[in-house]
Amino acid sequence: MIDRREVLKSGVALAAIAGLPRAALAQEPGDELSALFDRMFAEQLRLNPEGATQLGLDTGANADLRGLLSDEGPMGRQAARALTARHIARLEAFKTDDLTPEDKRNYDVVLYTKRQQSAAQRFDFGGASYGRSPYVVSQLTGAYQSTPSFLDTKHPIENDADAEAYLARLGQFADQLNANSDDLRDQSARGILPPDFLLDPTIDQLTKTTVPADQAIVVTSLQRRAAAKNLDPRYGARAAQLYGAKVFPALQAQLDLVKALRAKATSDAGVWKIKQGAEFYAVALAGTTTTRMSPEEVHKFGLDEAAAISARLDALLKAQGMTKGGIGERVAALYRDPAQLYPDTDEGKRQAIAYCNDRLAAIRPRLPRAFKRLPQYAFEVRRVPVENEAGAASAYAQPPSLDGKRPGLVYFNLRDSAEWPKFCLATTVFHEGLPGHQFEGGLALSNAKLPLIRKVGGFSGYGEGWALYAEQLADELGMYDDDPLGRIGYLKFQLFRANRCVVDTGIHHFRWTRAQAIARFVEQEGEAPGFAAREVDRYCATPGQACSYKIGHSVFVRLREEAKAKLGPRFTLGDFHEAVLGTGRVPLEILEAETRRWLANA
């Protein structure tokens, strides 16, 4: 078992544990495995102050984290690698013979996570966004685009201490920028440079971020929110001064560097162009899908799924009188239908967001038909901030704070309203919101049986697979019974996720060009070219992650069919969902084993 001296060794970690809400930690304080998990979580929290704030855990003994940002430099990466190695060693030394099945599952999941982290940390380059990225600065990676949004939407401003902490973080933002620029300079010298078409939106976003203090969101956010709380107006003045002295020069230097490197970049889209690129892709693909599928297997899976979904779409389109041309041509015609388009104006975009929030409200009363538990958190849909639209994903979700004070958020990128016709919006709300990411994540956060280290962790194969399954479930709950075009939108996005498997492996394994990848989406499913281009760019920056959606979805569907066959008339959706969601977020291999264990005992 765990050496108690090891548990007592780190005063910082113990202080961090003491500062966490008791309900968030082990339900049985004497449980050695729970104590180990709590200690590990506290240690990793110290390396991720932004995560502490996002979860609402930067209070008490952890209050100092509210004034800190993560270290983006070599020392920060070394600390992360060393901590992962220590955690693996402690877990491997732990005797598991007497663990309950539930504790053994927790142990297996945490050890899997740490080994996955270790595999990714072996590469001394890159950053992170939706998954591991080979590029430290791109349209999706780098502090320049993540920290301003974090400070504006996650850092609370309630009192003087919050304002002082904000100013401390604003100064460290410059340190993060300089660290990113140093890494970009070093890595580009080693041939690790984003393709030119990724650097273009990066330059666009950096240019919109590198503005005078009176236009900078990191300054105006503090000014606005401090004024709303009747705090000293000098906080805003200090932010402007700090921005001008430290942050603006760091932003300008990074912008100049990226512009200079743009002239040296090539159009090669895949990670194969980088030394260790094939190894990087293998780790990324395994880490995000949590399977052992090869790139060739993933590619074929995507082609087969796309063919099956296309047949269903063809029937639905014909039922609407759309019989001429390929599926891509007919769906593209729907994209051009004026009745499906919101005006490409601020007012039109407000209408689109209002419709999305309406869909979120409409599905809520239907959820008890399929679930035994509902998350108690609030959720809402918002527009992606204008300054991040050029490179941001088309839609994404951010979880609520652990205490529920900040709602779960679903973001839509409305840079061009034509990319989001009405018939495509609802299924994405169900994916990102309810009963998708926000639902699954809310249940995990409120699951008293899960240790905190598991509540805040996750696996793309499980999370994205569930969210895609949630789109299917919304259809089964009748959300399209009076909206046949919405059902077409749902299947169109199922096809989109199948094509992601084809495109991602095409880019990174089969050496497709960006144009080939975009053409797959446009020709096969009528995707809006701008939408398709931005999605392809996302896969170029975060290899492997795009494959996790359809692969994970197929596992949930297969397990449900197995449960129906085994249980017959005793099968209920509520029981099945309780089984697959009650495990918390797990690798797909563990999900299959745990669900079959439930079936064996049902």
Side-chain angles (χ1 to χ4, degrees):
M1 288 296 184
I2 289 290
D3 184 344
R4 286 292 185 181
R5 292 170 296 179
E6 178 71 4
V7 175
L8 296 172
K9 206 184 317 186
S10 171
V12 172
L14 287 174
I17 293 171
L20 299 179
R22 184 66 250 161
L25 298 176
Q27 297 301 302
E28 300 178 15
D31 185 312
E32 289 186 293
L33 182 61
S34 295
L36 173 60
F37 286 160
D38 290 346
R39 172 180 162 79
M40 289 169 60
F41 177 80
E43 289 176 334
Q44 66 189 36
L45 198 70
R46 303 301 300 181
L47 296 184
N48 183 18
E50 294 94 332
T53 295
Q54 181 160 312
L55 289 168
L57 297 179
D58 55 352
T59 59
N62 297 304
D64 64 311
L65 295 179
R66 189 167 295 189
L68 298 175
L69 293 177
S70 54
D71 184 348
E72 295 276 320
M75 290 183 64
R77 292 193 295 277
Q78 177 55 36
R81 285 193 293 267
L83 183 62
T84 301
R86 290 199 301 272
H87 285 175
I88 291 173
R90 291 172 194 165
L91 287 165
E92 289 179 341
F94 193 96
K95 292 186 176 8
T96 62
D97 299 346
D98 299 327
L99 292 179
T100 65
E102 188 173 86
D103 283 341
K104 183 60 165 59
R105 178 174 68 232
N106 289 333
Y107 173 89
D108 289 342
V109 171
V110 174
L111 182 56
Y112 185 103
T113 301
K114 293 299 175 180
R115 286 173 172 166
Q116 181 188 75
Q117 289 173 351
S118 179
Q121 289 168 347
R122 288 202 305 268
F123 301 97
D124 64 339
F125 56 86
S129 179
Y130 294 91
R132 182 75 176 172
S133 173
Y135 310 122
V136 66
V137 175
S138 70
Q139 88 286 14
L140 289 179
T141 57
Y144 83 91
Q145 52 87 37
S146 60
T147 298
S149 176
F150 166 78
L151 288 174
D152 180 45
T153 64
K154 306 299 185 302
H155 183 105
I157 299 293
E158 298 291 337
N159 50 45
D160 289 326
D162 290 342
E164 292 288 352
Y166 186 103
L167 290 170
R169 278 177 157 166
L170 184 57
Q172 293 166 56
F173 176 35
D175 298 332
Q176 288 185 324
L177 289 165
N178 290 329
N180 286 169
S181 292
D182 289 343
D183 284 341
L184 177 60
R185 192 176 291 107
D186 170 71
Q187 292 172 22
S188 63
R190 292 187 281 145
I192 306 168
L193 183 64
D196 50 15
F197 57 82
L198 293 191
L199 292 179
D200 289 335
T202 304
I203 291 170
D204 179 83
Q205 293 178 165
L206 266 168
T207 300
K208 290 176 179 175
T209 305
T210 310
V211 294
D214 62 352
Q215 301 172 34
I217 192 172
V218 292
V219 175
T220 59
S221 177
L222 179 57
Q223 290 173 336
R224 182 186 72 254
R225 293 190 288 151
K229 296 295 180 179
N230 296 313
L231 301 181
D232 192 327
R234 284 178 293 184
Y235 286 122
R238 288 170 61 191
Q241 183 181 24
L242 183 58
Y243 176 85
K246 290 191 65 178
V247 178
F248 183 87
L251 282 168
Q252 187 64 59
Q254 188 165 108
L255 176 58
D256 292 342
L257 175 61
V258 174
K259 285 181 176 178
L261 292 174
R262 169 64 175 80
K264 303 176 182 179
T266 71
S267 296
D268 292 333
V271 73
W272 54 264
K273 67 181 180 179
I274 298 172
K275 185 179 180 181
Q276 294 185 292
E279 295 91 335
F280 186 100
Y281 188 54
V283 168
L285 194 61
T288 54
T289 67
T290 61
T291 70
R292 304 178 192 186
M293 295 175 71
S294 68
E296 293 87 354
E297 290 171 328
V298 172
H299 195 82
K300 183 179 186 305
F301 167 82
L303 290 171
D304 292 343
E305 289 290 306
I309 298 166
S310 293
R312 294 180 62 192
L313 256 179
D314 181 50
L316 290 182
L317 289 165
K318 286 177 178 176
Q320 294 301 307
M322 304 180 72
T323 60
K324 295 182 180 179
I327 288 171
E329 294 173 88
R330 284 176 277 169
V331 172
L334 281 176
Y335 268 79
R336 296 189 297 270
D337 183 352
Q340 292 295 317
L341 299 179
Y342 287 98
D344 197 26
T345 63
D346 285 341
E347 176 56 30
K349 292 169 185 181
R350 279 192 290 270
Q351 292 172 12
I353 295 300
Y355 172 77
C356 290
N357 277 306
D358 174 76
R359 292 295 82 200
L360 204 58
I363 199 170
R364 289 179 195 271
R366 304 188 189 213
L367 296 177
R369 289 160 44 187
F371 299 98
K372 292 185 172 182
R373 292 181 297 133
L374 303 179
Q376 299 305 306
Y377 296 99
F379 308 106
E380 63 182 79
V381 181
R382 295 182 183 176
R383 179 182 173 185
V384 169
V386 174
E387 61 272 15
N388 290 336
E389 286 179 339
S394 300
Y396 57 91
Q398 292 182 351
S401 60
L402 194 63
D403 59 10
K405 291 181 180 178
R406 190 190 65 255
L409 301 175
V410 173
Y411 285 97
F412 276 80
N413 190 334
L414 298 179
R415 187 183 193 195
D416 180 357
S417 294
E419 295 177 4
W420 278 114
K422 187 175 181 179
F423 80 99
C424 288
L425 285 170
T427 195
T428 308
V429 171
F430 304 141
H431 178 105
E432 302 290 351
L434 305 176
H437 284 309
Q438 298 291 5
F439 187 95
E440 176 269 316
L443 287 183
L445 286 177
S446 59
N447 188 340
K449 295 182 180 180
L450 289 180
L452 189 53
I453 197 170
R454 285 208 52 216
K455 289 183 181 185
V456 301
F459 302 93
S460 190
Y462 179 96
E464 299 298 354
W466 170 264
L468 193 54
Y469 170 76
E471 294 186 48
Q472 173 182 325
L473 189 61
D475 182 31
E476 294 167 345
L477 289 173
M479 293 305 295
Y480 303 117
D481 287 353
D482 58 355
D483 182 16
L485 292 183
R487 182 172 283 119
I488 288 173
Y490 148 61
L491 279 179
K492 179 252 176 248
F493 274 106
Q494 290 275 325
L495 178 57
F496 172 57
R497 272 44 172 262
N499 280 328
R500 275 179 163 176
C501 295
V502 178
V503 166
D504 194 272
T505 52
I507 292 168
H508 297 292
H509 183 72
F510 294 104
R511 303 193 176 194
W512 282 17
T513 65
R514 180 178 187 250
Q516 282 178 279
I518 293 172
R520 173 77 191 185
F521 287 129
V522 173
E523 294 169 4
Q524 294 291 317
E525 61 197 60
E527 198 60 79
F531 183 105
R534 195 165 53 251
E535 285 294 310
V536 167
D537 292 352
R538 169 182 164 182
Y539 316 150
C540 293
T542 53
Q545 193 269 342
C547 302
S548 61
Y549 297 70
K550 200 68 183 69
I551 290 173
H553 170 257
S554 70
V555 172
F556 280 103
V557 171
R558 184 172 69 249
L559 290 173
R560 192 173 83 168
E561 291 307 308
E562 287 184 26
K564 282 183 176 181
K566 173 121 184 349
L567 299 178
R570 292 185 295 130
F571 174 85
T572 70
L573 273 177
D575 288 338
F576 173 73
H577 292 155
E578 192 67 18
V580 296
L581 291 173
T583 64
R585 298 155 176 167
V586 295
L588 293 177
E589 290 180 357
I590 293 179
L591 175 65
E592 293 186 82
E594 289 293 316
T595 305
R596 287 169 183 144
R597 187 166 69 87
W598 164 70
L599 277 175
N601 297 323

